[in-house]
């Protein structure tokens, strides 16, 4: 047996030191899951194979000695090289499988091909340097040991793969590069060991042991500190294309130098050049395939985002772009219905945008459920919608009326009760559909909302006039163009004025008299209504203070816009104006239209209660127009019920007899403790009907139109009583078929209310102070003092 030298023993000890690194890699693999587990176990298996092959080869060499025949040495070197090469290949596979080394199997293959290109170029340059006539290693050139070729190939492949990972691995990439560099050291150790065994060089044996241990230690250390998230990048083309350019330049330069020195190409040279060419072709094929798949994904994403760009995210309907696209591709016989939800801004202001979004989503769902095949519904923005349908104008009008009924149904929201909204619709079937439908829609809103309007050519002129009114109305107050007129409110049946309603008038020097039905919607839409309403309130209180200073015992009512009502500090504003002019609050009546009941009842009740807290009285105007229910009437904090003129005029237009609805509303109002006022009385027959129903207050053209304050004051002076009014004679007991009686009921300190009572009511009593309906004709007798 051959006695081993010190270098051989040192190399053997160095290899044994690598065993703990292999054991750590194995434990790390069992500790992880998924891709990290597979990668760490591959590294452990590769390290174990390389270490076992190196130990077996070196032990055999120590036992048998280094001085056997060249054939035996080459055979031993070949066996060791084969074993270590298999281990290095497994190590390289584990390196590529590390988390962060590649996005997936396809990217790993690309990394290997890139590394192969670089490795082949290094191989070719090395072949030029060690082959004749260059032979820079001189006599140390290892041509006599073919077994080193396989480890040498793996060394250059490790170098190439390390370079590629340094360019393309995900961040932090330094740990992956360290693992790859450690594998490169192991491959170099295998190559050095093969050379040492082939040539019987003990120095090479010692160096191989040290390199192998260092390589496995570096890999194990890098794996230990690499347990942290990586930043995955998604550049399909991969950054850094020098891996293809520089290797080819190096190959061509080396080949030119070799041929210039008189060298020739042998099998090793052909092998290196062929590998470079084939790797580049395969790499470009994969790159083209990546580009094709990436282009397909881009097209799919583009189609998806294009669809999103034409879709409203809240309702799922088309947006304005989607509608315009549908208009461009629509059939020749098409019609467009423009839709705007009336009073929707109030829902947002009072209930919040979450509730508003829920209502808009329900509007979209209702439109979608009522579409026919080929129709397109769109949300144009805010509460504006549109429906593009096939058909002529008449069919579109019928469809618009159907949608008007559908959209007018109550909207139920979670935890919020019912919300009542109406809609205005405009229909266009010729010309520029979007423009014409919008004009028709705006005209529908001007004419009172909750209606369908079909486009007409004259709407263009109306739109221009509306724009003019908007501009001129902004300066109407400053230029003194606005004024108030006062329409009397009389007691029935005496027709004595007990109050008045302040009505706004606008006289323009060029436009003439602009009717309120035309400029009030302009003021509300442009946001000027709050400023105008404040001016009206101040002027009305100022005028009322002047009348009271002259001894006229009247009250005054002012119309209140829903936008003013929803102003959070409106109650304080009213109180300040009353205090400024010294007007008793109970002398001011604020009229809120019944259309305001279409909004949130809970918020409306709160706002009205704040106003009543100032002492003013609240009148519900236009009662009977179709919004209020009996339950809501019991909830609303109002004092006066104004019967809509349509109910007063209805008997003459249809039956010519007494008005049953007027009678019902009067009795209902009195039962609820409300004063009832019939407005729109224009004939004596209507007055008789109202009086027969027991209504104590009336207003209309029969008693006078709106007049300037001095005219109304002159009428008050002529009707002013000169002495105390005689009281009616007391009645001992009313007959059972007697007419309804009016009785003053005390509601609280300083508050009285007149009720109409039937003889069968328990409260129907006879006192010396009772007066019949016809004798109550002053503000003080109506509980306003």
């Amino acid at each position: 047996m051959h006695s081993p030298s010190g270098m051989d023993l040192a190399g053997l000890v160095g290899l044994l030191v690598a065993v703990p690194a292999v054991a750590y890699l194995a434990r790390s693999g069992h500790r992880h899951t998924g891709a990290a587990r597979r990668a760490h176990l591959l590294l452990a298996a590769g390290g174990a194979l390389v270490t076992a092959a190196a130990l077996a080869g070196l032990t055999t060499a120590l036992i048998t000695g280094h001085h056997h025949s060249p054939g035996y040495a080459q055979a031993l070197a070949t066996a060791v090289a084969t074993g270590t090469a298999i281990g290095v290949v497994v190590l390289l596979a584990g390196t590529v499988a590390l988390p962060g080394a590649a996005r997936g199997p396809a990217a790993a293959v690309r990394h290997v091909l890139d590394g192969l290109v670089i490795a082949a170029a290094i191989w070719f340059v090395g072949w030029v340097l060690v082959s004749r006539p260059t032979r820079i290693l001189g006599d140390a050139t290892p041509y006599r040991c073919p077994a080193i070729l396989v480890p040498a190939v793996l060394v250059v492949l490790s170098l190439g793969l390390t370079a590629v990972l340094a360019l393309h691995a995900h961040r932090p990439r330094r740990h992956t590069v360290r693992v790859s560099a450690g594998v490169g050291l192991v491959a170099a150790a295998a190559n050095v060991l093969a050379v040492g065994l082939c040539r019987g060089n003990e120095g090479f044996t010692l160096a191989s042991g040290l390199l192998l241990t260092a390589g496995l230690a570096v890999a194990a250390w890098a794996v230990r500190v690499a347990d942290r998230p990586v930043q995955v990048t998604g550049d399909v083309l991969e950054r850094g294309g020098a891996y293809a350019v520089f290797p080819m330049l190096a190959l061509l330069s080396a080949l030119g130098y070799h041929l210039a020195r008189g060298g020739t190409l042998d099998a090793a040279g052909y092998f290196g050049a062929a590998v470079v060419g084939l790797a580049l072709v395969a790499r470009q094929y994969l790159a083209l395939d990546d580009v094709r798949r990436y282009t397909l994904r881009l097209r799919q994403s583009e189609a998806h985002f294009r669809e999103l760009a034409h879709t409203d995210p809240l309702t799922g309907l088309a947006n304005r772009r989607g509608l315009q696209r549908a208009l461009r591709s629509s059939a020749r016989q098409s019609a467009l219905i423009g839709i705007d939800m009336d009073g929707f801004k109030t829902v947002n202001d009072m209930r919040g945008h979450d509730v508003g979004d829920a209502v808009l989503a329900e509007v979209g769902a209702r439109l979608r459920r009522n579409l026919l095949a080929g129709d397109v519904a769109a949300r144009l923005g805010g509460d504006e919608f549109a429906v593009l349908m096939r058909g002529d104008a008449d069919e579109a009008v019928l469809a618009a009326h159907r949608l008007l009924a559908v959209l007018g149904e109550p909207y139920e929201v979670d935890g919020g009760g019912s919300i009542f909204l109406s809609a205005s619709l405009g229909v266009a079937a010729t010309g520029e559909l979007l423009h014409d439908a919008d004009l028709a829609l705006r005209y529908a809103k001007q004419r009172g909302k909750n209606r369908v309007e079909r486009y007409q050519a004259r709407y263009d002129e109306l739109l221009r006039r509306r724009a003019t009114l908007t501009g001129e109305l902004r300066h109407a107050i400053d230029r003194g163009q606005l004024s108030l007129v006062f329409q009397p409110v009389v007691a029935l049946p005496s027709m004595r004025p007990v109050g008045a309603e302040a009505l706004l008038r606008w006289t323009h020097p060029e436009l003439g008299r602009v009717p309120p039905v035309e400029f009030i919607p302009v003021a509300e839409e442009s946001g000027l209504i709050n400023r105008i309403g404040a001016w009206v309130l101040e002027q009305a209180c100022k005028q009322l203070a002047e009348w009271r200073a002259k001894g006229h015992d009247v009250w005054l009512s002012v119309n209140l816009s829903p936008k003013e009502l929803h102003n959070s500090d409106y109650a304080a504003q009213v109180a300040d104006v009353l205090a400024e002019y010294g007007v008793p609050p109970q002398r001011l009546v604020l009229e809120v239209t019944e259309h305001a009941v279409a909004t949130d009842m809970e918020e409306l009740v709160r706002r009205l209660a704040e106003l009543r807290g100032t002492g003013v009285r609240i009148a519900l105007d236009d009662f009977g127009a179709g919004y209020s229910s009996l339950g809501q009437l019991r909830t609303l904090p109002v004092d006066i019920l104004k019967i809509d003129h349509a109910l007063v005029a209805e008997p003459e237009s249809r039956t010519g007899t007494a008005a049953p609805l007027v009678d019902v509303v009067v009795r209902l109002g009195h039962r609820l403790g409300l004063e009832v006022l019939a407005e729109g009385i224009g004939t004596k027959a209507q007055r008789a009907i109202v009086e027969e129903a027991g209504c104590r207050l009336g207003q209309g053209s029969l008693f006078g139109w709106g007049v300037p304050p001095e005219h109304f004051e002159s009428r008050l002076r002529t009707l002013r009583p000169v002495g105390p009014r005689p009281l009616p004679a007391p009645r001992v007991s009313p007959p059972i078929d007697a007419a309804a009686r009016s009785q003053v009921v005390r509601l609280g300190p300083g508050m009285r209310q007149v009720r109409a009572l039937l003889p069968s009511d328990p409260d129907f009593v006879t006192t010396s102070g009772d007066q019949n309906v016809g004798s109550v004709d002053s503000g003080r007798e109506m509980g306003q003092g």
Side-chain angles (χ1 to χ4, degrees):
M1 178 180 293
H2 172 73
S3 297
S5 65
M7 286 190 178
D8 290 336
L9 291 176
L12 183 60
V13 172
L15 290 176
L16 291 175
V17 175
V19 174
V22 175
Y24 177 81
L25 289 172
R27 287 197 305 270
S28 179
H30 289 294
R31 191 173 65 250
H32 289 79
T33 58
R37 180 187 181 90
R38 290 191 300 271
H40 293 185
L41 291 179
L42 284 174
L43 290 173
L49 287 174
V50 172
T51 304
L55 285 173
L58 185 56
T59 303
T60 303
L62 291 177
I63 294 175
T64 59
H66 292 286
H67 304 290
H68 287 282
S69 63
Y72 178 80
Q74 289 186 9
L76 180 60
T78 301
V80 172
T82 302
T84 54
I86 295 174
V88 171
V89 170
V90 176
L91 284 170
L92 291 174
T95 303
V96 175
L98 282 172
R103 293 195 307 274
V109 172
R110 288 195 297 270
H111 289 346
V112 171
L113 289 176
D114 293 341
L116 189 58
V117 171
I118 298 174
I122 296 174
W123 171 273
F124 190 87
V125 172
W127 166 79
V128 168
L129 294 178
V130 300
S131 62
R132 289 185 176 87
T134 306
R135 298 194 69 187
I136 62 173
L137 297 180
D139 294 337
T141 303
Y143 273 101
R144 293 173 297 175
C145 190
I148 69 172
L149 292 178
V150 174
V153 169
L154 293 177
V155 169
V156 295
L157 182 58
S158 300
L159 293 176
L161 185 61
T162 302
V164 171
L165 292 178
L167 290 173
H168 301 310
H170 301 304
R171 299 180 183 276
R173 62 174 59 94
R174 60 182 180 274
H175 306 302
T176 306
V177 173
R178 287 168 182 168
V179 173
S180 181
V183 174
L185 289 176
V186 173
N191 189 59
V192 171
L193 180 59
V195 172
L197 293 176
C198 185
R199 300 176 63 89
N201 191 319
E202 296 177 356
F204 276 59
T205 302
L206 176 60
S208 68
L210 297 177
L211 286 175
L212 180 62
T213 300
L216 291 176
V218 169
W221 174 71
V223 165
R224 183 180 67 83
V225 299
D227 289 341
R228 64 192 63 183
V230 295
Q231 179 182 349
V232 179
T233 56
D235 184 9
V236 70
L237 299 178
E238 304 287 359
R239 60 183 183 84
Y243 69 88
V245 178
F246 288 161
M248 288 301 299
L249 292 177
L251 187 149
L252 294 176
S253 300
L255 178 60
Y257 173 73
H258 181 68
L259 295 177
R261 294 292 299 270
T264 59
L265 285 178
D266 58 9
Y270 278 116
F271 173 75
V275 169
V276 171
L278 291 175
L280 284 176
V281 170
R283 182 63 179 86
Q284 295 308 312
Y285 174 79
L286 291 179
L288 289 175
D289 184 64
D290 288 340
V291 171
R292 283 195 298 269
R293 288 188 285 108
Y294 183 64
T295 303
L296 178 61
R297 289 198 301 269
L298 280 181
R299 290 177 179 175
Q300 293 173 346
S301 299
E302 181 183 1
H304 173 68
F305 287 115
R306 185 185 300 113
E307 188 63 27
L308 287 180
H310 293 83
T311 304
D312 175 61
L314 177 62
T315 62
L317 304 178
N319 59 13
R320 185 177 292 274
R321 292 191 188 92
L323 179 63
Q324 291 173 342
R325 181 177 63 178
L327 285 170
R328 289 192 296 268
S329 60
S330 63
R332 180 171 300 178
Q333 190 64 34
S334 298
L336 185 66
I337 304 174
I339 305 170
D340 187 89
M341 304 304 297
D342 302 329
F344 177 76
K345 186 179 183 302
T346 303
V347 176
N348 272 342
D349 294 341
M350 297 171 61
R351 303 294 298 276
H353 288 275
D354 290 339
V355 174
D357 289 346
V359 171
L360 292 178
E362 176 60 22
V363 171
R366 294 184 185 183
L367 292 178
R368 194 180 297 108
R369 288 195 297 266
N370 288 271
L371 292 181
L372 300 178
D375 294 350
V376 176
R379 180 187 174 209
L380 305 183
D383 60 340
E384 296 183 16
F385 296 82
V387 173
L388 179 64
M389 59 171 291
R390 296 177 182 176
D392 55 20
D394 294 334
E395 294 173 337
V397 170
L398 291 177
H401 281 286
R402 184 179 71 251
L403 292 177
L404 181 66
V406 169
L407 298 177
E409 296 176 359
Y411 294 85
E412 305 294 336
V413 295
D414 295 338
S418 299
I419 293 178
F420 297 88
L421 293 176
S422 62
S424 300
L425 292 86
V427 177
T430 57
E432 298 182 12
L433 295 183
L434 196 58
H435 175 266
D436 294 349
D438 183 63
L439 287 183
L441 170 61
R442 297 178 68 175
Y443 188 68
K445 297 185 77 68
Q446 291 182 32
R447 295 195 63 188
K449 307 178 181 179
N450 193 29
R451 59 187 300 116
V452 176
E453 287 292 337
R454 181 174 172 178
Y455 172 76
Q456 299 179 25
R458 64 186 182 92
Y459 289 171
D460 292 297
E461 179 62 30
L462 294 176
L463 180 61
R464 284 192 291 271
R465 177 173 173 82
R466 189 176 184 87
T468 302
L469 292 178
T470 302
E472 295 297 322
L473 189 58
R474 295 184 183 277
H475 309 287
I477 295 178
D478 299 334
R479 296 171 180 172
Q481 299 172 1
L482 297 183
S483 61
L484 293 181
V485 297
F486 302 88
Q487 186 176 23
V489 175
V490 303
L492 296 177
S494 67
M495 295 192 298
R496 186 181 191 84
V498 293
E501 179 179 0
L503 303 175
L504 183 61
R505 296 293 182 263
W506 181 20
T507 303
H508 191 273
E510 297 178 0
L511 300 176
R513 291 187 176 181
V514 183
V517 70
E518 187 176 9
F519 72 81
I520 292 298
V522 172
E524 291 182 345
E525 183 178 335
S526 61
L528 297 172
I529 191 65
N530 288 328
R531 183 188 176 198
I532 294 176
W535 181 86
V536 170
L537 177 65
E538 182 176 2
Q539 296 299 314
C541 290
K542 180 180 179 181
Q543 184 61 64
L544 183 58
E546 292 180 3
W547 286 339
R548 286 183 52 79
K550 296 177 181 179
H552 302 301
D553 191 16
V554 293
W555 49 269
L556 194 59
S557 66
V558 175
N559 290 285
L560 177 60
S561 168
K563 289 190 176 182
E564 293 179 274
L565 177 62
H566 299 143
N567 189 356
S568 58
D569 61 345
Y570 186 73
Q573 178 183 346
V574 171
D576 291 342
V577 174
L578 291 173
E580 179 180 358
Y581 292 100
V583 175
Q586 65 270 22
R587 294 293 178 176
L588 178 65
V589 177
L590 297 178
E591 297 188 12
V592 56
T593 177
E594 192 189 10
H595 291 273
V597 182
T599 58
D600 188 343
M601 275 294 299
E602 182 179 347
E603 180 68 14
L604 179 64
V605 169
R606 188 174 68 86
R607 298 291 188 186
L608 293 180
E610 290 178 357
L611 286 175
R612 290 187 75 191
T614 64
V616 303
R617 292 181 296 162
I618 307 297
L620 182 61
D621 198 7
D622 300 332
F623 183 79
Y627 283 96
S628 299
S629 66
L630 297 182
Q632 292 171 339
L633 191 58
R634 291 181 60 89
T635 306
L636 289 173
V638 298
D639 305 280
I640 301 175
L641 200 62
K642 297 189 70 173
I643 305 177
D644 187 71
H645 61 86
L647 297 183
V648 176
E650 185 268 343
E652 287 189 347
S653 62
R654 191 178 66 175
T655 63
T657 59
L661 291 181
V662 172
D663 183 72
V664 169
V665 172
V666 172
R667 289 173 177 265
L668 173 65
H670 288 167
R671 287 285 188 176
L672 295 177
L674 305 177
E675 187 61 70
V676 182
L677 189 156
E679 58 181 346
I681 301 176
T683 64
K684 293 182 178 180
Q686 293 173 355
R687 170 195 164 191
I689 291 170
V690 169
E691 290 180 359
E692 181 181 353
C695 184
R696 297 170 45 80
L697 297 174
Q699 182 181 2
S701 60
L702 182 64
F703 313 119
W705 295 101
V707 294
E710 57 273 12
H711 293 177
F712 184 76
E713 183 180 349
S714 63
R715 182 175 178 182
L716 292 177
R717 285 196 300 267
T718 59
L719 297 177
R720 189 171 181 179
V722 295
R725 185 180 299 114
L727 298 177
R731 297 181 181 178
V732 179
S733 61
I736 195 64
D737 58 345
R741 300 283 300 278
S742 176
Q743 184 167 313
V744 178
V745 180
R746 185 177 181 85
L747 301 180
M751 298 178 62
R752 289 179 292 169
Q753 181 64 62
V754 179
R755 284 188 178 178
L757 302 177
L758 298 176
S760 58
D761 290 332
D763 294 334
F764 190 95
V765 295
T766 58
T767 63
S768 60
D770 266 358
Q771 297 170 329
N772 59 28
V773 175
S775 65
V776 181
D777 58 359
S778 75
R780 187 174 305 278
E781 291 168 336
M782 289 189 298
Q784 303 167 20

